[in-house]
Amino acid sequence: MSVNVLLVGAGEINFGSVEGPWNHTLRLERKLQANLKVVGLIDPDVERAKSALSAKQAGPSSVAYSECTLYATVSAAAASLPEASCPRLVIVGAPPFTRGSDVPGHDLELQLASAFPGCPLFVEKPVSSGPEDGCWRVTAALQRSRTLVAVGYMLRYSKAVQLMKQIIHDNHINVMGTNARYVMAYEYARKPSWWDKTLSGGPIVEQATHFCDLSRYFGGDISLPSISAHTVEHDEVPGQLSAQQFREADIPPAHRLPRLTSATWKYTNGAVGALTHVIALHGTTYDTEFEVYADGYRLKLVDPYNNPVLSVRRPGLATEEIFTFAEDDPFYTELSSFVDAVEDPTKTQGILSSYADAVKTYEFTCHIRRASEASAKEERERRAAE
């Protein structure tokens, strides 16, 4: 039986990129195979949408896209899609500034919930780039309409992450602290909107959000007033980048991204967390690590995005246990779990990141951004007074 899918966004999240492994349509093709029927693609950039659709219609899964229609808006799709093509689920891969708010033009989830009542939504992270209070109002509206929503924090679905959770559960461990390190390869990050923090939300909100979410997944709720953060800014000597392939000069200085952000915080349970995000590497390979500490334990996850390796120190062992996870694809697992929940309501527990929980992660990242901007302002004022 065909599963009607509506895609929102013709960009890299839905259709792939050389920058990383994300590509939602590829995972949908693998999951649903001959049952996949993409009924529409919504994107105001008509030429980009045409290009993305043409590539799919010329590819190995062309049949799934043979009846796909392009739309510029949700309202156009709602007005034109025949009843037989009503979507069974929607994949929302539009930029964060279009989502997470009840302000017209930034209310994509609410538009979709209104246009296609009861249709489940898979929403990419972060949930927004706007004010957090708007996100909570969207949360309440989606709950009132009983809309099933999953958010794309795919690292929760990693076999390595799930093994870490199992070790903690099985050994009754109280987490003492977490430490996340994310070093980006920026050379092929060419979209000016990504480098403008007023559009993307900045590197913590838009990118390090995955590690902020992992921090919450292991450490629990954050004591938001405890957050402290410092940055290396674009106009400081250590912040000069030599491999950019776009004109950063076209972005107002106040909107440009910090090159390094270092943050620390307390969890409400007393544990401590730390995060370092850096825009520094050339090429396409990122350098990422996430650690969890507890009495007698250190769990260290290296390269969770591509080739995860988990090393574990346990009580009574002087050496590390090493676990590898060949061919694990958390991007596939998160979409597979979402599709399973759509098709069988008894499987909703397979969704590991709800909309409300994702808003907590977004709120956390916004607090880090504000703390880092406040410290950068204080540093500029201190230097100006010298």
Side-chain angles (χ1 to χ4, degrees):
M1 181 178 178
S2 295
V3 177
N4 292 347
V5 175
L6 177 63
L7 301 174
V8 181
E12 298 165 350
I13 293 297
N14 280 343
F15 291 93
S17 164
V18 298
E19 291 179 53
W22 41 82
N23 188 328
H24 288 329
T25 53
L26 191 66
R27 273 72 178 198
L28 285 171
E29 292 160 15
R30 176 182 164 192
K31 172 66 175 178
L32 293 170
Q33 300 184 29
N35 292 326
L36 174 62
K37 181 181 178 182
V38 179
V39 296
L41 170 58
I42 300 174
D43 196 305
D45 188 335
V46 177
E47 292 305 313
R48 180 172 69 169
K50 285 181 180 178
S51 176
L53 181 58
S54 295
K56 285 296 183 181
Q57 291 176 334
S61 299
S62 58
V63 173
Y65 301 86
S66 60
E67 298 180 36
C68 179
T69 302
L70 301 180
Y71 302 100
T73 64
V74 172
S75 59
S80 301
L81 279 170
E83 185 176 350
S85 296
C86 185
R88 184 73 179 88
L89 61 92
V90 182
I91 306 296
V92 183
F97 61 83
T98 66
R99 304 185 266 109
S101 174
D102 51 2
V103 175
H106 306 278
D107 58 345
L108 196 48
E109 299 96 335
L110 299 184
Q111 291 181 46
L112 289 164
S114 174
F116 307 104
C119 185
L121 309 179
F122 180 91
V123 179
E124 195 43 61
K125 61 78 204 167
V127 293
S128 184
S129 61
E132 301 99 296
D133 58 346
C135 297
W136 287 116
R137 290 193 294 273
V138 172
T139 301
L142 293 173
Q143 290 174 342
R144 286 194 299 271
S145 65
R146 299 183 180 274
T147 302
L148 178 67
V149 186
V151 179
Y153 282 111
M154 83 290 173
L155 291 181
R156 294 191 178 203
Y157 298 84
S158 159
K159 289 181 180 178
V161 167
Q162 287 306 309
L163 178 56
M164 294 168 73
K165 293 288 282 188
Q166 181 182 334
I167 290 170
I168 290 170
H169 176 268
D170 290 350
N171 293 279
H172 309 287
I173 293 171
N174 290 316
V175 171
M176 183 183 299
T178 63
N179 188 20
R181 186 174 61 82
Y182 190 117
V183 188
M184 176 196 179
Y186 70 87
E187 186 173 357
Y188 294 98
R190 299 170 179 169
K191 291 189 297 185
S193 61
W194 187 85
W195 292 86
D196 185 331
K197 62 185 177 184
T198 64
L199 298 178
S200 68
I204 303 300
V205 171
E206 199 281 333
Q207 191 175 72
T209 183
H210 280 297
F211 273 16
C212 290
D213 187 69
L214 272 190
S215 299
R216 290 188 54 252
Y217 196 43
F218 285 95
D221 286 336
I222 312 295
S223 173
L224 297 176
S226 73
I227 296 171
S228 175
H230 298 279
T231 58
V232 173
E233 292 296 319
H234 69 92
D235 55 352
E236 295 181 292
V237 173
Q240 303 308 301
L241 301 179
S242 63
Q244 289 174 315
Q245 297 192 31
F246 78 106
R247 277 181 49 84
E248 191 176 31
D250 293 338
I251 299 174
H255 296 181
R256 297 176 195 170
L257 301 187
R259 307 325 194 194
L260 185 151
T261 302
S262 176
T264 59
W265 59 87
K266 287 279 287 184
Y267 294 99
T268 56
N269 61 16
V272 170
L275 166 73
T276 300
H277 179 279
V278 194
I279 302 172
L281 298 179
H282 297 181
T284 60
T285 304
Y286 289 33
D287 184 2
T288 54
E289 293 184 0
F290 182 79
E291 293 181 295
V292 177
Y293 312 116
D295 181 30
Y297 290 84
R298 190 227 53 198
L299 313 180
K300 182 178 182 179
L301 177 59
V302 177
D303 195 15
Y305 291 87
N306 300 297
N307 186 30
V309 176
L310 175 62
S311 63
V312 179
R313 282 283 304 273
R314 299 175 183 264
L317 292 179
T319 57
E320 296 179 334
E321 293 178 283
I322 303 296
F323 300 89
T324 57
F325 306 85
E327 300 182 4
D328 182 32
D329 183 357
F331 288 97
Y332 173 78
T333 306
E334 69 171 355
L335 275 178
S336 178
S337 299
F338 174 65
V339 171
D340 288 345
V342 170
E343 295 184 328
D344 183 352
T346 66
K347 295 183 178 180
T348 56
Q349 74 279 1
I351 294 175
L352 302 181
S353 180
S354 68
Y355 195 86
D357 192 68
V359 172
K360 286 188 176 182
T361 293
Y362 178 61
E363 193 173 47
F364 175 33
T365 61
C366 288
H367 274 74
I368 292 178
R369 174 182 168 178
R370 286 193 288 268
S372 69
E373 290 176 341
S375 69
K377 180 181 178 182
E378 289 174 4
E379 180 64 13
R380 284 192 298 268
E381 291 174 348
R382 183 190 66 78
R383 289 181 180 178
E386 288 180 348

